[in-house]
Amino acid sequence: MSEKKLWWRDGIIYQVYPRSFQDTTGDGIGDLRGIIQHLDYLKDLGIDGIWLSPINPSPDVDFGYDVSDYNAIDPKFGTLSDFYELLEQAHKRDIRIIMDLVLNHTSDQHQWFQESRKSKDNPYHDWYIWRDPAPGGKAPNNWTSMVGGSAWKYDASLGQYYYHMFFEQQPDVNWRNPQVYAAMLDVFRFWLEKGVDGFRLDIFNEYFKDEQFRDNPTRRGLHLRAFDRTSHVYDNSQPEMLSLLNDIRKLMDCYEDRYVVGETFLVNSQKARAYIGKDRLHAGFDYAYANSGFSARAFGKAIQDWDSLHGREAWPNYFLNNHDTSRSSTRYNAGQSDARLKLLATMHLTVRGTPYLYYGEEIGMRDINLTYKEIQDPVGKTFWPLYKGRDGCRSPMQWDAQPNAGFSTGSPWLRVNTDYPIRNVVNQQASSASLLAFYKALIQLRREHPALHKGTLEMHASGSDRLLAYWRAWNNEKLLVVLNFSNLLTTMPLPGDPSQKWTIIFNGNEPITSQVAEGKLHLPGYGLAILRVNTE
Ligand code: GLC
């Protein structure tokens, strides 16, 4: 790994879900000017890059993840000149901008699809995955959609089916068509030329499907969702992906200091790792860490696995939250206390890898609980009450105690969490014991210590449910991070000579803090410590 500072490796990336960050027009939907308005806040927090969930025009069947024009900005978020200003203002503050590219499928309103469905001899017909019916008029094969039912939608006027992994309004494009391939690479070029610093590729390993459209094999066992009753062998992760990633990377490398990170879909960590490398993606997302239970053992294993899969040649990244997942505050039953969240933040910001934060994580926003009528996410509407969808983690950012948490003067597209008069940025800025103050202090510490942002990682203790401890080292600096995942006082013998003197350089879970005594570290419930051995 290069010694030179790399923003995406040494820094922290913050995901903004633009609909929910800050509305400046009063239409109840966040916008680009709203993000510009809060750049100083983000700078002060200490982040290095912003990943924007999609801002391209979209009919919002899947809230931006159904794009109808790749080369424009959705008017509900602003204009291209607002976007230029966001880039400029962010760059002035040394903050990079990462765009979300949703290239597996488009919206059915995209002009390409509108043309494609006109006739079989339309030049765009083959830009999507059209197949003749199987005998008896049935769907071409057994492939299922992630959101329920067959993945094939019959179009009576053409007498053919088209394929959609998600909703029928999100037809998958045909990446095997060279014109599609070229058009998609042009999308990268278009935004790179505008000065965008990186991309997050939405479910990129879904782009290619089996050329022969073979049936997926049946999976044994009882599975509630039809989608889980087959193994997704032929509709996912085809070998063609690797050479495409190579082409994408070559293109990215024509520009300076750019970054591409991918969201893998339906694969395990080993497969996700295979997409990362010098001639592939810079980094990839994997869910094992975010899916861990709240225990030292579970997190220790997820970190150890993901870290060793990367080895020295690649750089891991970690997220606890995103726009598809219940917030960690809710998942891990933090209740109203932020002690568990401070513990998680310490782990998240000190493991070897790029930490991703999701808006509001730094103030411990909780999921909102919605009634059926309030649900916006189509996935929630489809699977209610078994699964309420993803709105819970998408509620408006809680800025202050003003109406709608300062998010909008209009009527927010999604309800604000009722806890906002207490849990908001302004309130937490005023308290040195707040979660926000904790994040800021920790981010600053991470910045000051190369061992924490670019050092190696070595597990020290991860075998129990309570204690997770690991070393981070860079040149002569060696730091020990110790985290108590239980609510009980816990003691850990410190390694080495018992007469060694240790300094705790970070000890944040106030008011009761960890202490070193007689060669042991004593941690209160959910206590933590970052220590080093005194050399003089
Ligand atoms: C990704 C996105 C998710 C979206 C899906 C389909 O998983 O993160 O929000 O619904 O792709 O585009």
Side-chain angles (χ1 to χ4, degrees):
M1 291 252 109
S2 119
E3 290 263 335
K4 177 183 146 220
K5 180 177 190 283
L6 290 174
W7 65 271
W8 57 267
R9 181 195 61 187
D10 303 336
I12 295 168
I13 297 171
Y14 184 98
Q15 182 188 356
V16 168
Y17 193 68
R19 284 184 83 81
S20 300
F21 203 56
Q22 178 69 63
D23 169 24
T24 61
T25 62
D27 66 353
I29 296 175
D31 45 55
L32 297 180
R33 303 214 70 83
I35 302 171
I36 298 172
Q37 194 176 305
H38 291 295
L39 284 173
D40 284 333
Y41 165 76
L42 294 174
K43 179 71 195 165
D44 189 47
L45 177 61
I47 58 113
D48 301 83
I50 298 174
W51 151 26
L52 296 172
S53 279
I55 52 172
N56 301 122
S58 164
D60 286 334
V61 167
D62 193 9
F63 295 108
Y65 287 90
D66 48 320
V67 173
S68 53
D69 182 355
Y70 289 113
N71 296 350
I73 301 291
D74 194 310
K76 64 180 163 285
F77 294 132
T79 61
L80 197 55
S81 79
D82 293 331
F83 183 68
Y84 287 142
E85 189 173 341
L86 171 61
L87 271 179
E88 194 188 321
Q89 293 296 331
H91 289 166
K92 252 192 205 162
R93 292 165 177 81
D94 216 15
I95 293 176
R96 308 301 209 279
I97 299 289
I98 298 170
M99 280 182 97
D100 208 323
L101 291 186
V102 189
L103 309 179
N104 173 67
H105 45 266
T106 67
S107 156
D108 62 348
Q109 302 306 306
H110 195 294
Q111 210 199 335
W112 298 344
F113 189 70
Q114 294 291 315
E115 288 295 319
S116 177
R117 71 187 324 175
K118 276 185 182 159
S119 69
K120 288 184 192 164
D121 51 20
N122 186 289
Y124 286 91
H125 185 65
D126 186 49
W127 282 44
Y128 291 82
I129 301 170
W130 292 97
R131 303 288 289 167
D132 289 334
K138 285 207 247 137
N141 64 20
N142 73 347
W143 294 358
T144 45
S145 154
M146 171 85 174
V147 293
S150 168
W152 296 97
K153 171 77 184 168
Y154 188 63
D155 184 304
S157 65
L158 289 182
Q160 281 190 314
Y161 284 88
Y162 69 83
Y163 175 82
H164 58 93
M165 171 48 93
F166 290 88
F167 287 100
E168 62 185 63
Q169 297 90 339
Q170 296 170 286
D172 285 41
V173 297
N174 179 14
W175 272 89
R176 292 182 184 277
N177 178 321
Q179 287 171 307
V180 170
Y181 197 102
M184 290 308 197
L185 286 181
D186 280 345
V187 174
F188 284 83
R189 238 174 246 122
F190 180 86
W191 293 107
L192 285 167
E193 286 295 325
K194 304 226 165 330
V196 166
D197 303 284
F199 301 107
R200 176 254 186 198
L201 305 184
D202 191 66
I203 56 163
F204 72 90
N205 62 320
E206 184 56 36
Y207 294 174
F208 288 96
K209 286 74 171 156
D210 179 46
E211 211 165 5
Q212 298 167 47
F213 291 91
R214 281 169 280 190
D215 274 349
N216 278 326
T218 310
R219 268 179 83 202
R220 290 212 197 137
L222 265 183
H223 304 283
L224 208 55
R225 292 190 311 170
F227 189 71
D228 299 325
R229 291 183 205 134
T230 54
S231 291
H232 294 273
V233 178
Y234 294 120
D235 55 351
N236 181 270
S237 293
Q238 299 303 299
E240 290 82 353
M241 197 58 220
L242 285 180
S243 73
L244 168 59
L245 289 182
N246 191 225
D247 285 346
I248 292 175
R249 183 57 180 267
K250 272 194 220 139
L251 175 59
M252 299 295 296
D253 288 347
C254 296
Y255 299 78
E256 215 189 322
D257 229 8
R258 308 299 163 103
Y259 167 70
V260 56
V261 56
E263 178 204 26
T264 39
F265 178 60
L266 304 175
V267 293
N268 61 22
S269 313
Q270 279 81 1
K271 280 211 172 161
R273 168 64 180 93
Y275 294 117
I276 303 165
K278 273 208 242 17
D279 54 354
R280 302 169 188 190
L281 300 171
H282 292 86
F285 294 115
D286 178 62
Y287 266 94
Y289 172 81
N291 283 343
S292 301
F294 189 83
S295 89
R297 196 196 310 268
F299 275 114
K301 180 170 181 343
I303 294 167
Q304 181 75 79
D305 288 353
W306 194 226
D307 192 78
S308 52
L309 275 174
H310 283 75
R312 285 187 169 264
E313 310 76 51
W315 194 248
N317 69 13
Y318 292 94
F319 67 93
L320 283 168
N321 292 287
N322 67 23
H323 64 291
D324 290 330
T325 314
S326 166
R327 287 184 181 269
S328 50
S329 52
T330 301
R331 265 189 350 259
Y332 295 120
N333 300 320
Q336 270 317 303
S337 154
D338 287 343
R340 282 184 165 214
L341 303 183
K342 288 180 178 173
L343 186 82
L344 289 171
T346 310
M347 171 182 72
H348 196 56
L349 292 162
T350 63
V351 283
R352 181 181 83 112
T354 311
Y356 273 71
L357 299 178
Y358 178 60
Y359 81 96
E361 183 171 342
E362 71 279 19
I363 56 165
M365 276 174 58
R366 271 48 176 178
D367 282 4
I368 51 167
N369 208 350
L370 297 107
T371 61
Y372 179 74
K373 272 201 184 142
E374 289 175 317
I375 298 254
Q376 301 287 328
D377 183 13
V379 177
K381 288 183 187 159
T382 309
F383 293 107
W384 174 279
L386 279 180
Y387 174 58
K388 295 180 181 173
R390 301 161 294 180
D391 297 317
C393 67
R394 297 176 177 176
S395 65
M397 178 68 178
Q398 294 163 214
W399 294 107
D400 55 38
Q402 303 292 311
N404 299 325
F407 162 71
S408 171
T409 54
S411 166
W413 74 282
L414 193 62
R415 186 159 63 66
V416 176
N417 195 320
T418 47
D419 68 2
Y420 81 84
I422 303 263
R423 190 172 290 285
N424 64 58
V425 169
V426 166
N427 225 2
Q428 296 203 14
Q429 277 170 336
S431 157
S432 61
S434 69
L435 186 62
L436 180 61
F438 185 89
Y439 267 93
K440 275 167 64 173
L442 195 53
I443 290 174
Q444 189 166 346
L445 185 87
R446 185 181 193 279
R447 214 176 258 286
E448 285 162 6
H449 291 271
L452 293 181
H453 62 251
K454 61 176 169 188
T456 55
L457 177 137
E458 193 194 319
M459 276 297 165
H460 176 68
S462 61
S464 78
D465 284 340
R466 281 195 193 181
L467 272 181
L468 177 62
Y470 46 86
W471 291 99
R472 296 296 312 278
W474 180 257
N475 291 341
N476 296 328
E477 189 181 38
K478 210 171 169 201
L479 299 175
L480 182 63
V481 181
V482 189
L483 308 162
N484 178 8
F485 275 80
S486 81
N487 59 359
L488 305 171
L489 193 141
T490 302
T491 299
M492 188 185 89
L494 285 164
D497 181 344
S499 63
Q500 251 176 174
K501 295 261 178 294
W502 293 78
T503 303
I504 298 186
I505 63 164
F506 188 78
N507 187 345
N509 241 342
E510 288 177 18
I512 306 165
T513 53
S514 308
Q515 301 291 335
V516 174
E518 292 163 11
K520 291 189 183 122
L521 175 68
H522 302 268
L523 303 118
Y526 304 128
L528 53 99
I530 303 177
L531 316 94
R532 73 159 171 253
V533 179
N534 287 354
T535 43
E536 68 280 1

